[in-house]
Structures are given as structure tokens and as C-alpha cells.
Amino acid sequence: MNWIFLFIAGLLEIGWPVGLKIAQNPQSRLMGIAIAGFFICSSGVFLWMSQRTIPVGTAYAIWTGIGAVGTFLVGIYFYGDSSSLVRYLGVLLLVSGIITLKLAQ
């Protein structure tokens, strides 16, 4: 169950940078900050719950990895961030590291 909590925490981690992106627009600044705050707190709670049995270093690395990969993909697909083979290769290396951490557990 703690691995599920960690996965949920990682997915929620994607929400706060998106909230900060929304806050860049003056008309939606407060809403974006509220969204970011909600996702930071929610993600932190699930990370905390996952650390009951998952070592802190492993949990943190996987949490930030899921958040980084997810935010990368959201940036490309929803915000027009640049994409290239080299950038995708970098993300593939992150995913490989996350999988390796899980398998080494």
C-alpha cells in the first residue's frame, strides 16, 4: 500500500509546478497559487504516508522523479515546451533510475 501512496504522491507532485505556471497570468495568479499550495500539501501527505516502510532516500528520489517526468510531459503536451530526442532520452534515464530504485527495494 505504501508504494501506491508513493505513486499518488508523485502524481500530485505534478500539480504544484502547473499551479505556479497558471499563477504567471495576473488574472489567475491567486487561483494558481491556491492550486500549487493544495498539490504541495497533498503530495507531502502521501509522501509522508509512504515513508512508513519505504526508506526516505528511495521515497524522495522516486517522488521527485515521478514529478519531474510528469511535469516534463505536461509542459510539452499542454504548454508547448520544446521537445527533442535528447530531452526524451534524459527523461528515459530518469525513468530507468526510478525503476532501478524500485527493483532494488
Side-chain angles (χ1 to χ4, degrees):
M1 191 68 186
N2 291 318
W3 285 101
I4 293 170
F5 289 153
L6 183 57
F7 183 71
I8 292 168
L11 291 178
L12 291 169
E13 181 73 359
I14 298 165
W16 73 266
V18 172
L20 294 179
K21 182 67 174 174
I22 292 168
Q24 297 301 315
N25 183 345
Q27 289 78 25
S28 60
R29 181 156 293 141
L30 291 178
M31 181 181 68
I33 292 170
I35 289 168
F38 169 79
F39 279 101
I40 287 171
C41 292
S42 299
S43 179
V45 167
F46 277 94
L47 176 64
W48 169 74
M49 291 189 317
S50 75
Q51 291 176 347
R52 291 178 189 154
T53 59
I54 302 171
V56 65
T58 301
Y60 184 74
I62 292 173
W63 176 63
T64 57
I66 292 169
V69 171
T71 304
F72 170 80
L73 295 172
V74 167
I76 288 173
Y77 294 115
F78 294 102
Y79 291 100
D81 291 356
S82 65
S83 65
S84 67
L85 182 60
V86 174
R87 292 190 78 206
Y88 280 108
L89 179 61
V91 169
L92 180 62
L93 290 171
L94 282 172
V95 171
S96 298
I98 291 167
I99 292 169
T100 302
L101 284 170
K102 170 62 175 121
L103 293 176
Q105 186 61 28

